[in-house]
Amino acid sequence: MENTSGIYGNQKPELERVINQILLHITQIRRDMESKLGMDPVEHCLGRIKSEESMREKCRRKGLPETTESALEKIFDAVGVRIVCAFVDDVFTIRNYIADSGRYEIIEEKDYISRAKPNGYRSYHMILRVDGKYHAEIQLRTISMDTWAALEHHLKYKKKVGGRQELIIGELKRCADELASTDLSMQTIRDMILEGDSR
Ligand code: 0O2
């Protein structure tokens, strides 16, 4: 029997289907890029359905009732896919593949790479409407950006920093900026290698 007791009601199998559909599409993009450019730009890619607890917390935070309607129609990241690339340029190439595929309606895009969040968070976010009904948040970022986000997320739960909060925030921002600078250098190195190959 179908489990309709959670915040997603009987829609969970549909959300699973949407994730698999997007992941399959990403696999196709990777194959296409590999045959055209001779390299797979994606380091790793994963999909998840936002946990019941986390979705309920987000509903409360946004002042929404904890219903299936809120979870699927007012909040857009019940389905989340994260695509982690080696280089910054690849993030934007994959963004273009997704946008130009005609498979999705793009609801919103947030470029936290060109304009990082004040705390240093960098990533490219796309909110897509899939099959005219479901929403999915795609997060595209480099390995460095992903590393920083994972560590920062981890640290958030280590509270009790007392008066050192400002120092810690400043240090995290410094690490994010250093990683961004390294990303740019790595991109330049790759461009030089590619240039050498084409001579
Ligand atoms: P989880 O557990 O990853 O799903 P909103 O999405 O409406 O709450 P906002 O700020 O408009 O708020 O959305 P935004 O900025 O696009 O961020 C959405 C997601 O990006 C977050 O989802 C995180 O996954 C990630 N993110 C945004 N800012 C940060 C940050 O400073 N640090 C880290 N580590 N991740 C960030 P959730 O729902 O918060 O979490």
Side-chain angles (χ1 to χ4, degrees):
M1 214 165 68
E2 240 172 351
N3 176 12
T4 56
S5 61
I7 193 156
Y8 299 117
N10 61 4
Q11 294 296 300
K12 227 160 169 195
E14 282 302 291
L15 299 181
E16 298 279 6
R17 185 187 58 75
V18 168
I19 288 189
N20 290 331
Q21 189 177 316
I22 296 171
L23 290 177
L24 183 63
H25 184 204
I26 305 303
T27 304
Q28 288 163 353
I29 292 174
R30 290 172 75 169
R31 286 204 189 116
D32 194 39
M33 286 179 77
E34 193 159 12
S35 66
K36 278 189 189 141
L37 311 170
M39 62 184 129
D40 176 1
V42 177
E43 182 62 26
H44 67 269
C45 179
L46 44 94
R48 63 103 182 94
I49 294 179
K50 202 176 189 72
S51 73
E52 177 86 21
E53 193 187 284
S54 171
M55 180 54 83
R56 287 188 184 278
E57 186 278 321
K58 193 157 184 172
C59 286
R60 289 195 292 273
R61 182 156 44 91
K62 292 187 169 287
L64 295 166
E66 294 173 41
T67 61
T68 304
E69 193 197 351
S70 301
L72 300 186
E73 289 170 35
K74 303 277 193 297
I75 290 173
F76 296 152
D77 68 344
V79 167
V81 172
R82 185 169 294 151
I83 304 167
V84 178
C85 300
F87 298 97
V88 182
D89 277 4
D90 297 330
V91 165
F92 291 98
T93 306
I94 292 176
R95 178 262 161 216
N96 292 342
Y97 264 91
I98 293 171
D100 298 343
S101 69
R103 295 186 188 210
Y104 319 101
E105 189 185 333
I106 300 175
I107 304 295
E108 191 180 6
E109 291 183 85
K110 294 181 194 170
D111 184 356
Y112 296 128
I113 294 179
S114 306
R115 192 180 284 252
K117 282 198 169 184
N119 65 353
Y121 176 77
R122 285 172 173 82
S123 192
Y124 193 96
H125 293 185
M126 304 174 85
I127 304 286
L128 308 177
R129 183 151 28 233
V130 187
D131 297 340
K133 183 174 175 192
Y134 298 98
H135 295 95
E137 180 184 79
I138 313 285
Q139 296 183 346
L140 291 139
R141 46 172 88 145
T142 63
I143 300 168
S144 304
M145 294 170 197
D146 193 50
T147 301
W148 183 92
L151 293 173
E152 191 261 359
H153 184 77
H154 190 71
L155 290 169
K156 250 184 207 170
Y157 299 97
K158 302 219 178 289
K159 299 196 182 103
K160 302 205 169 67
V161 288
R164 285 169 299 161
Q165 183 147 351
E166 229 167 85
L167 176 69
I168 289 169
I169 290 170
E171 282 300 290
L172 276 169
K173 168 87 168 61
R174 187 179 60 77
C175 290
D177 292 345
E178 281 177 6
L179 286 165
S181 158
T182 304
D183 260 346
L184 287 181
S185 303
M186 295 303 276
Q187 178 72 57
T188 306
I189 293 167
R190 187 184 59 172
D191 291 347
M192 287 194 297
I193 292 169
L194 289 178
E195 211 178 295
D197 282 351
S198 66
R199 275 203 189 140

